[in-house]
mmCIF file of all heavy atoms in Angstrom:
data_model
loop_
_atom_site.group_PDB
_atom_site.id
_atom_site.type_symbol
_atom_site.label_atom_id
_atom_site.label_comp_id
_atom_site.label_asym_id
_atom_site.label_seq_id
_atom_site.Cartn_x
_atom_site.Cartn_y
_atom_site.Cartn_z
ATOM 1 N N SER U 1 142.062 -122.146 -44.653
ATOM 2 C CA SER U 1 141.907 -121.801 -43.243
ATOM 3 C C SER U 1 140.503 -122.116 -42.736
ATOM 4 O O SER U 1 140.310 -122.436 -41.565
ATOM 5 C CB SER U 1 142.219 -120.323 -43.013
ATOM 6 O OG SER U 1 141.357 -119.500 -43.787
ATOM 7 N N THR U 2 139.522 -122.051 -43.620
ATOM 8 C CA THR U 2 138.152 -122.377 -43.223
ATOM 9 C C THR U 2 138.024 -123.850 -42.878
ATOM 10 O O THR U 2 137.457 -124.216 -41.845
ATOM 11 C CB THR U 2 137.164 -122.018 -44.342
ATOM 12 O OG1 THR U 2 137.181 -120.612 -44.541
ATOM 13 C CG2 THR U 2 135.755 -122.469 -43.984
ATOM 14 N N SER U 3 138.535 -124.721 -43.737
ATOM 15 C CA SER U 3 138.432 -126.158 -43.464
ATOM 16 C C SER U 3 139.155 -126.511 -42.175
ATOM 17 O O SER U 3 138.678 -127.327 -41.380
ATOM 18 C CB SER U 3 138.975 -126.969 -44.645
ATOM 19 O OG SER U 3 140.324 -126.673 -44.904
ATOM 20 N N TYR U 4 140.314 -125.892 -41.923
ATOM 21 C CA TYR U 4 141.027 -126.173 -40.683
ATOM 22 C C TYR U 4 140.237 -125.685 -39.475
ATOM 23 O O TYR U 4 140.153 -126.380 -38.457
ATOM 24 C CB TYR U 4 142.403 -125.513 -40.700
ATOM 25 C CG TYR U 4 143.405 -126.222 -41.573
ATOM 26 C CD1 TYR U 4 144.253 -125.505 -42.407
ATOM 27 C CD2 TYR U 4 143.508 -127.610 -41.565
ATOM 28 C CE1 TYR U 4 145.175 -126.153 -43.218
ATOM 29 C CE2 TYR U 4 144.422 -128.270 -42.377
ATOM 30 C CZ TYR U 4 145.263 -127.535 -43.192
ATOM 31 O OH TYR U 4 146.168 -128.173 -43.994
ATOM 32 N N ALA U 5 139.660 -124.496 -39.567
ATOM 33 C CA ALA U 5 138.885 -123.965 -38.447
ATOM 34 C C ALA U 5 137.665 -124.825 -38.160
ATOM 35 O O ALA U 5 137.327 -125.075 -36.995
ATOM 36 C CB ALA U 5 138.459 -122.526 -38.748
ATOM 37 N N VAL U 6 137.013 -125.301 -39.203
ATOM 38 C CA VAL U 6 135.833 -126.136 -39.015
ATOM 39 C C VAL U 6 136.208 -127.465 -38.373
ATOM 40 O O VAL U 6 135.534 -127.945 -37.460
ATOM 41 C CB VAL U 6 135.094 -126.351 -40.352
ATOM 42 C CG1 VAL U 6 133.959 -127.364 -40.182
ATOM 43 C CG2 VAL U 6 134.538 -125.025 -40.861
ATOM 44 N N THR U 7 137.288 -128.088 -38.839
ATOM 45 C CA THR U 7 137.689 -129.360 -38.230
ATOM 46 C C THR U 7 138.063 -129.182 -36.766
ATOM 47 O O THR U 7 137.877 -130.090 -35.958
ATOM 48 C CB THR U 7 138.884 -130.002 -38.975
ATOM 49 O OG1 THR U 7 140.004 -129.107 -38.947
ATOM 50 C CG2 THR U 7 138.538 -130.339 -40.407
ATOM 51 N N ALA U 8 138.573 -128.012 -36.418
ATOM 52 C CA ALA U 8 138.988 -127.776 -35.033
ATOM 53 C C ALA U 8 137.810 -127.489 -34.111
ATOM 54 O O ALA U 8 137.857 -127.842 -32.927
ATOM 55 C CB ALA U 8 139.984 -126.624 -34.973
ATOM 56 N N HIS U 9 136.751 -126.868 -34.624
ATOM 57 C CA HIS U 9 135.705 -126.347 -33.737
ATOM 58 C C HIS U 9 134.304 -126.892 -33.990
ATOM 59 O O HIS U 9 133.374 -126.536 -33.253
ATOM 60 C CB HIS U 9 135.666 -124.821 -33.842
ATOM 61 C CG HIS U 9 136.957 -124.162 -33.461
ATOM 62 N ND1 HIS U 9 137.438 -124.147 -32.173
ATOM 63 C CD2 HIS U 9 137.887 -123.518 -34.209
ATOM 64 C CE1 HIS U 9 138.599 -123.514 -32.133
ATOM 65 N NE2 HIS U 9 138.895 -123.120 -33.363
ATOM 66 N N ALA U 10 134.124 -127.724 -34.988
ATOM 67 C CA ALA U 10 132.781 -128.239 -35.289
ATOM 68 C C ALA U 10 132.216 -129.030 -34.116
ATOM 69 O O ALA U 10 132.953 -129.667 -33.354
ATOM 70 C CB ALA U 10 132.833 -129.115 -36.540
ATOM 71 N N HIS U 11 130.905 -128.985 -33.986
ATOM 72 C CA HIS U 11 130.221 -129.703 -32.910
ATOM 73 C C HIS U 11 129.838 -131.126 -33.315
ATOM 74 O O HIS U 11 129.251 -131.852 -32.516
ATOM 75 C CB HIS U 11 128.963 -128.935 -32.502
ATOM 76 C CG HIS U 11 129.238 -127.532 -32.062
ATOM 77 N ND1 HIS U 11 129.821 -127.222 -30.853
ATOM 78 C CD2 HIS U 11 129.044 -126.337 -32.695
ATOM 79 C CE1 HIS U 11 129.957 -125.917 -30.737
ATOM 80 N NE2 HIS U 11 129.496 -125.353 -31.843
ATOM 81 N N CYS U 12 130.152 -131.496 -34.539
ATOM 82 C CA CYS U 12 129.863 -132.834 -35.048
ATOM 83 C C CYS U 12 131.091 -133.289 -35.841
ATOM 84 O O CYS U 12 132.020 -132.505 -36.048
ATOM 85 C CB CYS U 12 128.615 -132.818 -35.935
ATOM 86 S SG CYS U 12 128.832 -131.870 -37.469
ATOM 87 N N PRO U 13 131.135 -134.535 -36.301
ATOM 88 C CA PRO U 13 132.264 -134.946 -37.147
ATOM 89 C C PRO U 13 132.407 -134.027 -38.352
ATOM 90 O O PRO U 13 131.424 -133.606 -38.956
ATOM 91 C CB PRO U 13 131.869 -136.364 -37.562
ATOM 92 C CG PRO U 13 131.022 -136.858 -36.439
ATOM 93 C CD PRO U 13 130.227 -135.659 -35.998
ATOM 94 N N ALA U 14 133.653 -133.698 -38.668
ATOM 95 C CA ALA U 14 133.947 -132.797 -39.784
ATOM 96 C C ALA U 14 134.803 -133.520 -40.814
ATOM 97 O O ALA U 14 135.770 -134.191 -40.461
ATOM 98 C CB ALA U 14 134.675 -131.550 -39.290
ATOM 99 N N VAL U 15 134.437 -133.365 -42.083
ATOM 100 C CA VAL U 15 135.171 -134.021 -43.169
ATOM 101 C C VAL U 15 135.774 -132.965 -44.084
ATOM 102 O O VAL U 15 135.091 -132.017 -44.486
ATOM 103 C CB VAL U 15 134.250 -134.945 -43.995
ATOM 104 C CG1 VAL U 15 134.997 -135.514 -45.196
ATOM 105 C CG2 VAL U 15 133.718 -136.073 -43.126
ATOM 106 N N VAL U 16 137.046 -133.135 -44.392
ATOM 107 C CA VAL U 16 137.710 -132.315 -45.402
ATOM 108 C C VAL U 16 137.994 -133.216 -46.592
ATOM 109 O O VAL U 16 138.627 -134.267 -46.444
ATOM 110 C CB VAL U 16 139.028 -131.715 -44.882
ATOM 111 C CG1 VAL U 16 139.693 -130.883 -45.972
ATOM 112 C CG2 VAL U 16 138.771 -130.853 -43.653
ATOM 113 N N VAL U 17 137.496 -132.837 -47.752
ATOM 114 C CA VAL U 17 137.656 -133.653 -48.958
ATOM 115 C C VAL U 17 138.928 -133.227 -49.672
ATOM 116 O O VAL U 17 139.082 -132.076 -50.063
ATOM 117 C CB VAL U 17 136.428 -133.523 -49.881
ATOM 118 C CG1 VAL U 17 136.622 -134.368 -51.139
ATOM 119 C CG2 VAL U 17 135.169 -133.959 -49.137
ATOM 120 N N ARG U 18 139.837 -134.179 -49.830
ATOM 121 C CA ARG U 18 141.153 -133.924 -50.398
ATOM 122 C C ARG U 18 141.286 -134.553 -51.779
ATOM 123 O O ARG U 18 140.480 -135.380 -52.180
ATOM 124 C CB ARG U 18 142.234 -134.530 -49.497
ATOM 125 C CG ARG U 18 142.289 -133.952 -48.109
ATOM 126 C CD ARG U 18 142.990 -132.626 -48.095
ATOM 127 N NE ARG U 18 144.322 -132.728 -48.681
ATOM 128 C CZ ARG U 18 145.035 -131.703 -49.116
ATOM 129 N NH1 ARG U 18 144.537 -130.497 -49.059
ATOM 130 N NH2 ARG U 18 146.237 -131.870 -49.620
ATOM 131 N N GLY U 19 142.340 -134.164 -52.484
ATOM 132 C CA GLY U 19 142.697 -134.826 -53.731
ATOM 133 C C GLY U 19 142.169 -134.122 -54.961
ATOM 134 O O GLY U 19 141.471 -133.110 -54.894
ATOM 135 N N GLN U 20 142.540 -134.674 -56.114
ATOM 136 C CA GLN U 20 142.139 -134.115 -57.399
ATOM 137 C C GLN U 20 140.789 -134.644 -57.865
ATOM 138 O O GLN U 20 140.178 -134.101 -58.776
ATOM 139 C CB GLN U 20 143.207 -134.441 -58.453
ATOM 140 C CG GLN U 20 144.576 -133.866 -58.130
ATOM 141 C CD GLN U 20 144.554 -132.354 -58.018
ATOM 142 O OE1 GLN U 20 143.975 -131.665 -58.859
ATOM 143 N NE2 GLN U 20 145.187 -131.817 -56.977
ATOM 144 N N SER U 21 140.346 -135.745 -57.284
ATOM 145 C CA SER U 21 139.054 -136.331 -57.635
ATOM 146 C C SER U 21 138.446 -136.929 -56.380
ATOM 147 O O SER U 21 139.131 -137.128 -55.374
ATOM 148 C CB SER U 21 139.210 -137.405 -58.724
ATOM 149 O OG SER U 21 140.071 -138.440 -58.273
ATOM 150 N N VAL U 22 137.162 -137.228 -56.445
ATOM 151 C CA VAL U 22 136.464 -137.745 -55.269
ATOM 152 C C VAL U 22 136.781 -139.220 -55.065
ATOM 153 O O VAL U 22 136.710 -140.020 -56.000
ATOM 154 C CB VAL U 22 134.945 -137.561 -55.417
ATOM 155 C CG1 VAL U 22 134.224 -138.110 -54.192
ATOM 156 C CG2 VAL U 22 134.607 -136.095 -55.598
ATOM 157 N N VAL U 23 137.135 -139.567 -53.839
ATOM 158 C CA VAL U 23 137.372 -140.961 -53.461
ATOM 159 C C VAL U 23 136.384 -141.313 -52.366
ATOM 160 O O VAL U 23 136.176 -140.528 -51.431
ATOM 161 C CB VAL U 23 138.811 -141.168 -52.956
ATOM 162 C CG1 VAL U 23 139.036 -142.620 -52.554
ATOM 163 C CG2 VAL U 23 139.822 -140.745 -54.015
ATOM 164 N N HIS U 24 135.773 -142.490 -52.483
ATOM 165 C CA HIS U 24 134.837 -142.954 -51.465
ATOM 166 C C HIS U 24 135.328 -144.269 -50.869
ATOM 167 O O HIS U 24 135.932 -145.088 -51.569
ATOM 168 C CB HIS U 24 133.445 -143.174 -52.065
ATOM 169 C CG HIS U 24 132.791 -141.918 -52.550
ATOM 170 N ND1 HIS U 24 132.173 -141.025 -51.707
ATOM 171 C CD2 HIS U 24 132.672 -141.406 -53.802
ATOM 172 C CE1 HIS U 24 131.692 -140.009 -52.416
ATOM 173 N NE2 HIS U 24 131.990 -140.217 -53.681
ATOM 174 N N ALA U 25 135.059 -144.462 -49.607
ATOM 175 C CA ALA U 25 135.366 -145.737 -48.977
ATOM 176 C C ALA U 25 134.551 -146.832 -49.646
ATOM 177 O O ALA U 25 133.385 -146.636 -49.993
ATOM 178 C CB ALA U 25 135.044 -145.677 -47.484
ATOM 179 N N GLY U 26 135.167 -147.992 -49.824
ATOM 180 C CA GLY U 26 134.497 -149.113 -50.471
ATOM 181 C C GLY U 26 135.401 -150.322 -50.461
ATOM 182 O O GLY U 26 136.482 -150.311 -49.853
ATOM 183 N N PRO U 27 135.013 -151.404 -51.135
ATOM 184 C CA PRO U 27 135.804 -152.632 -51.121
ATOM 185 C C PRO U 27 137.269 -152.440 -51.516
ATOM 186 O O PRO U 27 138.154 -153.146 -51.005
ATOM 187 C CB PRO U 27 135.069 -153.522 -52.134
ATOM 188 C CG PRO U 27 133.651 -153.028 -52.085
ATOM 189 C CD PRO U 27 133.753 -151.551 -51.879
ATOM 190 N N SER U 28 137.553 -151.495 -52.418
ATOM 191 C CA SER U 28 138.929 -151.266 -52.872
ATOM 192 C C SER U 28 139.604 -150.093 -52.174
ATOM 193 O O SER U 28 140.780 -149.812 -52.423
ATOM 194 C CB SER U 28 138.947 -151.022 -54.388
ATOM 195 O OG SER U 28 138.408 -152.119 -55.093
ATOM 196 N N HIS U 29 138.856 -149.398 -51.316
ATOM 197 C CA HIS U 29 139.388 -148.220 -50.636
ATOM 198 C C HIS U 29 139.037 -148.309 -49.149
ATOM 199 O O HIS U 29 137.929 -147.929 -48.748
ATOM 200 C CB HIS U 29 138.818 -146.940 -51.248
ATOM 201 C CG HIS U 29 139.181 -146.734 -52.687
ATOM 202 N ND1 HIS U 29 140.450 -146.374 -53.081
ATOM 203 C CD2 HIS U 29 138.444 -146.860 -53.817
ATOM 204 C CE1 HIS U 29 140.484 -146.271 -54.395
ATOM 205 N NE2 HIS U 29 139.284 -146.561 -54.870
ATOM 206 N N PRO U 30 139.961 -148.804 -48.331
ATOM 207 C CA PRO U 30 139.645 -149.031 -46.916
ATOM 208 C C PRO U 30 139.439 -147.749 -46.127
ATOM 209 O O PRO U 30 139.879 -146.670 -46.519
ATOM 210 C CB PRO U 30 140.892 -149.779 -46.415
ATOM 211 C CG PRO U 30 141.986 -149.373 -47.343
ATOM 212 C CD PRO U 30 141.323 -149.209 -48.689
ATOM 213 N N VAL U 31 138.779 -147.917 -44.996
ATOM 214 C CA VAL U 31 138.670 -146.858 -44.003
ATOM 215 C C VAL U 31 139.842 -147.017 -43.043
ATOM 216 O O VAL U 31 140.040 -148.094 -42.477
ATOM 217 C CB VAL U 31 137.344 -146.945 -43.229
ATOM 218 C CG1 VAL U 31 137.302 -145.896 -42.117
ATOM 219 C CG2 VAL U 31 136.164 -146.766 -44.166
ATOM 220 N N VAL U 32 140.625 -145.967 -42.880
ATOM 221 C CA VAL U 32 141.780 -146.004 -41.981
ATOM 222 C C VAL U 32 141.418 -145.251 -40.699
ATOM 223 O O VAL U 32 141.078 -144.064 -40.754
ATOM 224 C CB VAL U 32 143.024 -145.372 -42.629
ATOM 225 C CG1 VAL U 32 144.187 -145.312 -41.634
ATOM 226 C CG2 VAL U 32 143.439 -146.163 -43.866
ATOM 227 N N ALA U 33 141.477 -145.943 -39.572
ATOM 228 C CA ALA U 33 141.183 -145.326 -38.277
ATOM 229 C C ALA U 33 142.480 -145.178 -37.498
ATOM 230 O O ALA U 33 143.166 -146.163 -37.227
ATOM 231 C CB ALA U 33 140.190 -146.181 -37.491
ATOM 232 N N ALA U 34 142.830 -143.943 -37.145
ATOM 233 C CA ALA U 34 144.012 -143.690 -36.329
ATOM 234 C C ALA U 34 143.631 -143.854 -34.862
ATOM 235 O O ALA U 34 142.649 -143.268 -34.404
ATOM 236 C CB ALA U 34 144.545 -142.289 -36.597
ATOM 237 N N PHE U 35 144.422 -144.630 -34.135
ATOM 238 C CA PHE U 35 144.027 -145.010 -32.775
ATOM 239 C C PHE U 35 145.188 -144.818 -31.806
ATOM 240 O O PHE U 35 146.325 -145.186 -32.104
ATOM 241 C CB PHE U 35 143.589 -146.480 -32.761
ATOM 242 C CG PHE U 35 142.956 -146.913 -31.470
ATOM 243 C CD1 PHE U 35 141.658 -146.548 -31.164
ATOM 244 C CD2 PHE U 35 143.677 -147.662 -30.543
ATOM 245 C CE1 PHE U 35 141.071 -146.928 -29.968
ATOM 246 C CE2 PHE U 35 143.102 -148.044 -29.343
ATOM 247 C CZ PHE U 35 141.797 -147.683 -29.055
#
C-alpha cells in the first residue's frame, strides 16, 4: 500500500521495483514507454 500511495501522490517521478531480482534498462532490456 505504501508503494501504491507514493506512486499516486509523489511530487516527482516514482519508481516501484518489481520482481525477484534487480533488472536495469540496458542494451538487452528496453525501456517501454506507454503512450
